[in-house]
Amino acid sequence: MSNANGRKTATVVIASVIVVGAFTYLMLGNIEGDVVYFYTPTELLSKGDAAYDRAVRLGGQVSPGSVQWNAEALDLKFKVREGTKEVLVHSKGAPPQMFRDGMGVVVEGRYRRDGVFESKNLMIKHSEEYRAPKAGERPQEMYRSLMKGGTAS
Amino acid sequence: MTASTMPLAAASDRRSGLPWGWIAVGGVLALVAAQVYGVLTSPPDRDMGHLQKIMYLHVPAAWNAFIAFFVVAVASLRYLWKGRAADDLLAASAAEIGSLLTGLTLALGMLWGKPTWGIWWTWEPRTTSTAVLFFMFLAYLILRKFVDDPERRAQWSAVVGILGALNVPIVYMSVRWWRTLHQVQGSPMTLDSTYYIPLRINAVALMIVLVAFIAHRYRSAMITQAADDLEDRAALMEGGSRA
C-alpha cells in the first residue's frame, strides 16, 4: 500500500472514531443524566420556584371536562392531569387531530407564575392501544364537535 | 490474499444452492399481498383512522432492521475472531439492508407522527436512539467506501458494526427505560386481532425479502471479491514473467 493510501485510511479511521465516539457519548449522556423528555404535573409542581419561566415539557392526560376551546380566537385551555395533580395549560391554534378528553399529551412551553402553563407546542402521546371502534363509538366526532365551538361535553 | 482466493471462490459456489432470485420475488409478492390484506381487512382505528395502516410497514421495517443488525454483529464478531473475508462481506450485506430499513422506519414514523403527534420530529429517546442507529450504519457504509485495503476495511467495519449493533437493544428498550413520546411496544393485549394478525404476516413477508436481499448481496460480493483476487494474481504473474 502506498503512503498516500495509508494517510487516507488513517484520516477516515480517525474521522469514524470521532463520529462513533460522539454518538456513543450522546447515548451515554442520555442514560446517565437525569434528563427526562417531559415532567409530570406532580414533578413540575414539586419543583417550587424552579418550575417557573423555564422551557420545559409537561406530559399527562387531558383532564376530562377541562377543555375550553374558543373557535374564533383559536384559543385553547385545558388541564393536564397525572394522578391527582393537574396543571392548567393555555395554547394558541388548533390542536392535533387526536386531541380530546383523556388523551395523552406533551406540551412544550413555560410554566408562568400565575399558575398557567403557556404552551408553544402541543403534541399527542398516543398509547400502544389499537382498537377497532365499538358500535356507535366515534371519537373523531368528538374532535369535530369540539372544534365547531364551545366546550367539549 | 492468494491463500484465501480458492476457498472464497469455492464458498460462493457452494452457497449458490438456493434459488435466491425466486425467493426474493416470492418475498416481494408475499409482502404486497400482506399489505393489501392488511389494508382491506382491518377497520379504521378508533383514534387514528386509516393512519394506523402505516404500522404494517413501519413496525416490520424496524423489526427486520434489528434482525439485519444482529447478523452484522454476529458476522463482525466472527470476522474479528477468525479473520475470514466472507464474514466481513456478510456483515456488509446485512448492514446495507439494515440501514435501508431503518431509514424507511424513520420516514414512515415521521409521516405518521405529523398527523398523530402533531409534529414531524422531536428528539425524544426512541427517535433519538433510532437516528443514532441510522447514522452509525451510514458511517459504516461510508467507511467501507473509503478504505481500500480489504483487511483494514474489514477490521474497522467490524468494530463500527459491533458498536452500531449495540444500539439495537437501546432502541428497543428506549420506550421502557425512559419517558418518550413514542408509545411502548404493543402486544396482542393492546392490539385488536384485526391489527396484529396482518402486522405479523407483514413482518414475516418482509423477513423473506430481508434474507433474500442479504443472500443476494453476499453472493455478489463474494463473486466480486473472487474476481478481484484473480485479477491481482494475473497482474502478479504478468509482472513476474516480464522480470
Side-chain angles (χ1 to χ4, degrees):
Chain A
M1 190 171 46
S2 74
N3 231 355
N5 247 348
R7 229 174 289 134
K8 189 178 152 197
T9 309
T11 316
V12 170
V13 163
I14 291 166
S16 328
V17 168
I18 291 171
V19 169
V20 170
F23 279 135
T24 313
Y25 174 78
L26 278 176
M27 291 306 298
L28 292 178
N30 236 357
I31 295 163
E32 284 164 4
D34 61 352
V35 190
V36 287
Y37 183 66
F38 60 81
Y39 294 116
T40 63
T42 312
E43 287 164 349
L44 188 74
L45 295 172
S46 71
K47 280 177 172 292
D49 216 40
Y52 298 116
D53 295 324
R54 299 167 44 207
V56 285
R57 293 194 192 91
L58 172 71
Q61 279 193 326
V62 177
S63 196
S66 72
V67 180
Q68 294 181 300
W69 167 244
N70 184 329
E72 263 118 70
L74 294 173
D75 195 85
L76 180 67
K77 281 196 188 112
F78 61 97
K79 285 180 181 151
V80 168
R81 190 172 71 170
E82 175 257 350
T84 54
K85 302 280 186 177
E86 287 184 331
V87 172
L88 182 62
V89 174
H90 174 247
S91 160
K92 283 291 213 181
Q97 287 282 324
M98 278 163 230
F99 183 82
R100 60 175 168 80
D101 275 0
M103 188 52 102
V105 288
V106 174
V107 286
E108 287 178 337
R110 277 162 206 281
Y111 190 44
R112 298 194 317 228
R113 288 191 181 270
D114 62 359
V116 179
F117 190 97
E118 187 66 44
S119 161
K120 284 198 172 129
N121 200 3
L122 167 55
M123 299 175 283
I124 300 293
K125 180 171 162 65
H126 193 272
S127 76
E128 70 280 21
E129 301 253 340
Y130 289 77
R131 303 286 183 209
K134 296 185 191 83
E137 196 187 36
R138 315 178 89 167
Q140 285 168 345
E141 285 299 310
M142 280 174 60
Y143 182 86
R144 253 169 248 143
S145 63
L146 175 74
M147 288 299 105
K148 266 179 206 144
T151 15
S153 56
Chain B
M1 271 297 117
T2 319
S4 69
T5 305
M6 291 324 287
L8 203 60
S12 78
D13 274 339
R14 217 180 323 120
R15 274 157 219 265
S16 57
L18 281 173
W20 287 113
W22 290 110
I23 294 173
V25 171
V28 170
L29 288 178
L31 183 62
V32 171
Q35 286 291 317
V36 171
Y37 170 73
V39 167
L40 293 184
T41 62
S42 49
D45 175 77
R46 203 170 53 175
D47 291 327
M48 58 185 81
H50 281 300
L51 267 180
Q52 170 274 330
K53 302 293 181 283
I54 291 179
M55 174 212 273
Y56 296 145
L57 206 47
H58 172 79
V59 177
W63 286 347
N64 281 289
F66 291 169
I67 296 172
F69 294 140
F70 182 72
V71 173
V72 173
V74 171
S76 299
L77 280 170
R78 223 167 84 122
Y79 174 80
L80 291 179
W81 179 33
K82 296 199 162 167
R84 291 187 345 157
D87 286 326
D88 171 55
L89 298 178
L90 177 61
S93 309
E96 279 178 1
I97 185 144
S99 309
L100 194 73
L101 289 176
T102 309
L104 186 66
T105 305
L106 288 168
L108 291 169
M110 288 169 81
L111 285 178
W112 178 87
K114 180 61 184 170
T116 307
W117 291 350
I119 45 165
W120 295 104
W121 183 263
T122 179
W123 294 100
E124 53 89 89
R126 175 49 83 77
T127 57
T128 306
S129 57
T130 309
V132 167
L133 181 70
F134 183 56
F135 286 121
M136 282 191 76
F137 276 97
L138 284 190
Y140 175 96
L141 295 176
I142 293 168
L143 175 77
R144 297 191 68 87
K145 289 280 171 222
F146 275 87
V147 183
D148 291 330
D149 178 38
E151 225 161 289
R152 262 172 204 244
R153 178 174 61 217
Q155 282 167 0
W156 282 99
S157 315
V159 173
V160 176
I162 292 164
L163 279 176
L166 281 177
N167 276 295
V168 168
I170 298 177
V171 171
Y172 185 79
M173 292 307 293
S174 58
V175 288
R176 306 246 172 220
W177 286 343
W178 303 295
R179 273 182 211 158
T180 53
L181 191 59
H182 194 285
Q183 60 267 53
V184 299
Q185 293 88 358
S187 70
M189 306 284 282
T190 69
L191 265 73
D192 281 353
S193 60
T194 183
Y195 302 127
Y196 79 74
I197 291 170
L199 175 64
R200 289 179 175 184
I201 295 174
N202 273 285
V204 172
L206 187 58
M207 200 167 81
I208 300 171
V209 178
L210 171 86
V211 173
F213 187 105
I214 294 176
H216 170 73
R217 293 295 293 165
Y218 175 62
R219 218 164 44 144
S220 52
M222 292 286 269
I223 291 167
T224 309
Q225 174 126 347
D228 285 350
D229 286 352
L230 279 177
E231 216 171 274
D232 286 351
R233 265 205 305 177
L236 271 177
M237 277 161 74
E238 209 176 285
S241 63
R242 237 185 267 141

